[in-house]
Amino acid sequence: MVYIDDIRLPNMHFAGILRSPHPHARIVSIDLTRARRAEGVEFALTGAEAAEHTDPIPHFISPLAFGGKSTDVRCLALGKVVYAGEPVAAVVADSRQNAEAAIELIDVEYEPLPFVIDGDEALAADAPRLYEDWDDNVVIQIPFGGGDPAAAFADAEHVIEDELQIQRYSTQPIEPRGYIADWDKSARSYTFYGASQNPHPLKWVLSRALRVKESQVRVIAPAVGGAFGLKMHGHPEESLVCLLSRLSGKPVKWIEDRSETLLIGAREQTHRFKVGFNSQGKISALKDHFVANVGALGAPPGWGMAFLTGMSIPTGYKIENVDVLVTVATTNKSPWNAARGYGKEATNLVMERIIDLVARSLDMDPVEVRRRNLIESHEFPYKTTGGLNIDSGDYHAALDKAVEMIGLDDVRAEQMRLLQEGRHLGVGFAFELTPESGDIPGTLVGGFDTSTVKMSPSGEVTVLTGVTTPGGGNDTSILQIVVDELGVTMADASILQGDTLTTPYGFGNYSGRSMVTGGNAAYLAACDIRVKLVEVASRILETDNTDVELGGGFARRISDPSRSIPIADVAYTIYTLAFATATGVEPPLESTRTYLPGNIQQTPDADGRINIYPTYSNAVHVAIVEVDIETGKVDLQRYGVVHDCGTIINPRFVEGQMEGAIAMGVGAALMEHSIHDPETGVLTTNGFKSYLMPRASDLPMIETMHQVTPSPYTALGLKGAGEAGIGGAQAAVSNAVHNALAPLDITIRKMPLSPGTVLHAIKYREKELKK
């Protein structure tokens, strides 16, 4: 595998980027004199100079399209900075070491300005404004819901109100971001190599920012060492590296360091909710008004996560009276970027905490409360109050399987036994609904994709597809679909992805879409070629088309398997005997097909709702933890999941996706937290010594069970499988911790549940009881 940092171009130079030490400040002056004289430096650039050659970076998803506010985002700050870490100036040098040394010599005079990093504080009338042309710090407010919540609350037997603060946390792939740009002066074109999820849309973005035609930009995405949304486009360094190459006349490379990767966070939300329900645990009304602190407004699609958090409420539960209000606030933290789960992980966490709070208030089994509220299998497709049309599922069967998997009765008996010894064991369940393979109207977030399948005269197959792989195996799975359809072996098939010059236009990798769109498109293209192979094979084998099967590299007569011919010979016949044996079968053996799944509704319905997702994977998670009440440490002892992503192409990859997401969810539940110093506004968790992530020893073996309810809206019954897992894991672990602490009557309203947070809650409760 060749990754971005493996690529070496002749005479390649390296970029160094100076970042703001202030969360909010005017740039009074920048002096590059010393940096330009430094060893190995070829070129240096300020934001004002960059603005002479570039335009603002187009927003991945502009808030303007949804009635919100926007602002220009540039590759280098112009006039002022709005977060600590914002790029201010850049140099090009003959080595990375010289580039990094040179940026230390750049002299910048700042005029610090008041700043705000808390989402609620940013909404105050007297809060510092990030953008002078805005009348407040609200990017957008979006309502979702339906029914008559006010009347339902008035009629409810029970009503509870509570809140939950979700921390800012990050995605940290093994490989950080990296880009190489090579400006060809004679051809007046850029070749851009990037660890990128979306090469074709990125090509459009670069052309707009760099003031060139799309045809003057080629984007190549090599192997990617993990993405999780981090490597979606819109980052300032993408166009900056291109500009540095053009102005310096050198190929320029920039590889992010870990402190820069950690600058990019997401997910910080404060939910204040109200729930109405009856004595049997049936929920009749839900209100959730929440604030999403998205940091400064960037060009990547981060703020859209809050939109999806609101739209996805109430997940897979039948709640007809819903009032959701999303308030997206901008602050002097670094911008949100897309992060795995894309907002739906927060929805699942909040909904599952709500279910457990209802159960606790009624002294009911949380599993039973879920049973009484989940959508039933005969009710699909099911339209939610947010407008989502859930395709299929059997949620109750998945819940029953999870209960059986974990041996719930035995676990609860053990829980009671240990409690007599002063030990606190907890079991937590979480239902998870994950809308996947999204399409956002009016943006380059497309719900369709294109694949080409070619078979050569020698019978070798090549697949070219517009979807890319972040390393999760979609390339292999797409090949499996094609190989099965054409009857060849995997050894005779290959796939090309991530090059805008050679692959058909596609939207890349996000939203668990690779198999739903790229896989189904490849399937349709393979079907076209299969028809030709079967027709010619039937002539050679002297039988009917219906009597021919393809497999193992051969075409055989079903009625007489001893009569067969290599598929390579059939292909050769089509290419060489087009006017004889293959008459009427149009060569070559090549097809390009675009797949548009059903169930996407871009036109608003009578209530103004759209459905931007065709498929909805679901899962039931269960976690068993022990909480040490002396230290607050949480020990995750067992973990199980029953997952349903429709038709499964490759169980190993599906399990790998789920297990990786569970690890991320466990980290989110117990330790991961991007912390800013309230006095300086600077990120303090800027390395893996301070930003804690789970290690292998922190996780038990994950017990996985599959349930298959195919989607009626996709050709192969596929649903997405890439975004699920984080919210379910975060919720199951959180519910397990609360179950362990239930004898102490403790509710923790702030994530993550780190030892310090848990111990503080225990000690606080002990003080209350002594009063």
Side-chain angles (χ1 to χ4, degrees):
M1 303 291 284
V2 175
Y3 295 90
I4 185 66
D5 204 22
D6 296 323
I7 298 173
R8 301 286 189 272
L9 301 181
N11 199 29
M12 187 170 70
H13 281 52
F14 298 82
I17 300 173
L18 179 68
R19 299 180 180 274
S20 169
H22 302 286
H24 199 194
R26 298 199 187 281
I27 301 172
V28 178
S29 65
I30 303 177
D31 187 350
L32 300 176
T33 303
R34 292 197 300 150
R36 285 173 169 150
R37 293 173 180 168
E39 181 180 355
V41 171
E42 185 74 27
F43 183 77
L45 184 71
T46 67
E49 293 165 341
E52 297 175 9
H53 303 277
T54 59
D55 289 328
I57 302 164
H59 286 261
F60 200 121
I61 303 172
S62 174
L64 293 175
F66 298 86
K69 305 189 200 67
S70 189
T71 190
D72 287 348
V73 178
R74 294 185 172 273
C75 64
L76 291 175
L78 185 61
K80 77 168 189 173
V81 294
V82 289
Y83 63 93
E86 184 171 1
V88 172
V91 300
V92 175
D94 58 2
S95 70
R96 179 169 181 166
Q97 292 81 2
N98 283 338
E100 292 175 348
I103 64 173
E104 299 294 330
L105 301 177
I106 298 173
D107 297 311
V108 184
E109 181 183 350
Y110 295 98
E111 178 191 336
L113 298 171
F115 65 88
V116 59
I117 59 173
D118 179 82
D120 285 334
E121 292 176 5
L123 300 178
D126 59 350
R129 302 286 164 79
L130 271 73
Y131 309 111
E132 283 81 358
D133 56 336
W134 291 19
D135 55 2
D136 56 26
N137 289 320
V138 176
V139 178
I140 194 170
Q141 278 195 322
I142 313 168
F144 294 99
D148 190 345
F153 276 118
D155 292 341
E157 292 181 60
H158 305 278
V159 175
I160 58 174
E161 295 187 58
D162 216 317
E163 72 173 55
L164 179 63
Q165 296 179 38
I166 303 173
Q167 81 277 27
R168 182 183 178 110
Y169 59 106
S170 186
T171 58
Q172 291 299 314
I174 293 174
E175 176 201 48
R177 292 180 301 131
Y179 311 119
I180 301 170
D182 187 8
W183 166 255
D184 186 328
K185 185 177 181 179
S186 60
R188 299 195 61 76
S189 65
Y190 294 95
T191 300
F192 179 88
Y193 303 84
S196 171
Q197 295 176 233
N198 321 100
H200 285 280
L202 174 56
K203 177 181 177 179
W204 179 86
V205 167
L206 290 175
S207 72
R208 293 300 185 272
L210 297 167
R211 302 174 184 170
V212 297
K213 297 178 180 179
E214 275 192 82
S215 58
Q216 292 175 269
V217 181
R218 178 185 183 186
V219 176
I220 301 172
V224 175
F228 313 123
L230 177 77
K231 293 168 185 175
M232 295 173 78
H233 58 78
H235 299 284
E237 296 88 357
E238 295 161 347
S239 54
L240 174 60
V241 170
C242 291
L243 180 61
L244 291 173
S245 176
R246 181 174 181 176
L247 297 181
S248 70
K250 310 291 183 183
V252 174
K253 181 179 196 176
W254 174 78
I255 302 293
E256 187 175 53
D257 67 28
R258 189 56 63 178
S259 65
E260 291 169 313
T261 313
L262 283 161
L263 273 175
I264 302 171
R267 303 182 171 111
E268 184 176 355
Q269 300 178 3
T270 299
H271 290 255
R272 297 177 176 92
F273 51 82
K274 179 179 177 182
V275 191
F277 51 97
N278 65 21
S279 296
Q280 287 72 49
K282 185 70 178 71
I283 299 173
S284 58
L286 172 63
K287 176 181 178 181
D288 182 8
H289 288 194
F290 69 92
V291 176
N293 179 354
V294 300
L297 190 60
W303 78 269
M305 292 180 63
F307 177 89
L308 267 302
T309 300
M311 177 178 274
S312 300
I313 295 171
T315 69
Y317 295 104
K318 293 188 294 184
I319 306 175
E320 302 298 331
N321 303 290
V322 176
D323 171 14
V324 174
L325 182 63
V326 183
T327 301
V328 178
T330 185
T331 69
N332 295 109
K333 291 182 177 179
S334 55
W336 274 19
N337 189 54
R340 189 179 190 180
Y342 202 69
K344 294 158 287 188
E345 76 292 333
T347 313
N348 284 298
L349 172 62
V350 172
M351 285 303 307
E352 295 310 301
R353 287 297 303 129
I354 286 172
I355 295 294
D356 268 32
L357 287 170
V358 168
R360 184 169 171 178
S361 70
L362 296 173
D363 196 24
M364 280 183 64
D365 183 346
V367 172
E368 185 59 30
V369 175
R370 287 177 172 83
R371 283 199 182 99
R372 295 184 183 187
N373 287 281
L374 285 169
I375 302 164
E376 298 182 50
S377 59
H378 64 85
E379 297 178 293
F380 293 106
Y382 183 91
K383 190 82 170 235
T384 72
T385 56
L388 302 180
N389 193 49
I390 305 176
D391 51 354
S392 65
D394 192 339
Y395 302 164
H396 292 83
L399 185 61
D400 291 342
K401 289 174 183 175
V403 168
E404 183 179 356
M405 170 194 287
I406 211 70
L408 184 58
D409 289 342
D410 291 340
V411 171
R412 286 184 172 155
E414 177 70 2
Q415 185 177 21
M416 296 306 297
R417 186 187 69 79
L418 291 176
L419 188 60
Q420 300 303 314
E421 301 175 7
R423 295 171 61 185
H424 289 254
L425 194 72
V427 56
F429 282 82
F431 171 81
E432 179 183 41
L433 181 75
T434 308
E436 302 204 65
S437 195
D439 174 279
I440 300 180
T443 74
L444 290 178
V445 181
F448 63 90
D449 223 286
T450 304
S451 296
T452 297
V453 178
K454 302 178 181 181
M455 179 178 280
S456 69
S458 63
E460 295 178 358
V461 174
T462 303
V463 180
L464 302 97
T465 181
V467 300
T468 57
T469 178
N474 73 45
D475 46 353
T476 301
S477 297
I478 291 173
L479 280 181
Q480 282 183 251
I481 292 173
V482 172
V483 163
D484 287 349
E485 192 64 24
L486 297 181
V488 299
T489 65
M490 288 290 282
D492 289 324
S494 60
I495 187 168
L496 298 176
Q497 298 172 283
D499 187 339
T500 59
L501 187 64
T502 60
T503 61
Y505 193 97
F507 296 101
N509 175 261
Y510 55 84
S511 190
R513 69 189 304 274
S514 299
M515 299 306 298
V516 172
T517 58
N520 276 314
Y523 167 71
L524 295 181
C527 287
D528 292 341
I529 295 175
R530 179 188 176 88
V531 169
K532 297 180 181 181
L533 291 173
V534 168
E535 174 63 30
V536 174
S538 70
R539 299 176 189 179
I540 297 170
L541 296 172
E542 300 176 317
T543 189
D544 295 328
N545 290 10
T546 57
D547 192 34
V548 175
E549 67 175 1
L550 307 180
F554 288 86
R556 293 182 178 86
R557 286 179 62 163
I558 298 172
S559 60
D560 182 5
S562 66
R563 294 287 302 277
S564 66
I565 182 173
I567 290 173
D569 290 355
V570 180
Y572 189 78
T573 299
I574 292 172
Y575 279 98
T576 62
L577 295 173
F579 300 97
T581 308
T583 300
V585 176
E586 183 181 0
L589 292 174
E590 179 175 328
S591 177
T592 298
R593 295 292 296 271
T594 298
Y595 185 73
L596 292 86
N599 201 30
I600 291 177
Q601 178 193 336
Q602 290 188 343
T603 304
D605 63 15
D607 297 316
R609 302 175 302 180
I610 61 175
N611 180 40
I612 64 175
Y613 288 98
T615 73
Y616 298 78
S617 68
N618 64 85
V620 175
H621 299 249
V622 55
I624 298 174
V625 306
E626 184 173 359
V627 179
D628 185 336
I629 63 170
E630 298 298 324
T631 65
K633 184 179 184 299
V634 177
D635 177 28
L636 179 59
Q637 297 186 347
R638 282 186 69 189
Y639 198 97
V641 61
V642 179
H643 182 233
D644 184 350
C645 63
T647 303
I648 299 173
I649 302 300
N650 190 312
R652 178 175 294 181
F653 291 141
V654 170
E655 290 166 13
Q657 289 280 8
M658 177 54 70
E659 290 170 4
I662 287 169
M664 295 180 80
V666 170
L670 298 180
M671 60 191 75
E672 295 189 43
H673 193 183
S674 301
I675 301 172
H676 290 71
D677 185 327
E679 299 299 322
T680 65
V682 174
L683 181 72
T684 58
T685 50
N686 57 3
F688 283 153
K689 287 186 176 181
S690 51
Y691 184 89
L692 303 181
M693 297 177 68
R695 301 159 297 179
S697 59
D698 295 315
L699 295 166
M701 293 298 294
I702 296 170
E703 303 163 53
T704 304
M705 183 181 295
H706 298 290
Q707 177 170 286
V708 178
T709 56
S711 173
Y713 298 112
T714 61
L716 295 174
L718 302 170
K719 301 178 183 179
E723 288 198 324
I726 296 177
Q730 195 177 13
V733 171
S734 177
N735 285 341
V737 171
H738 281 90
N739 182 246
L741 297 176
L744 304 178
D745 193 24
I746 289 174
T747 297
I748 302 174
R749 298 175 173 87
K750 188 174 183 179
M751 302 294 290
L753 303 177
S754 62
T757 299
V758 173
L759 187 59
H760 178 270
I762 294 170
K763 297 301 181 185
Y764 181 81
R765 182 61 179 158
E766 289 175 350
K767 288 181 181 179
E768 281 190 327
L769 293 174
K770 291 177 181 179
K771 288 181 180 178

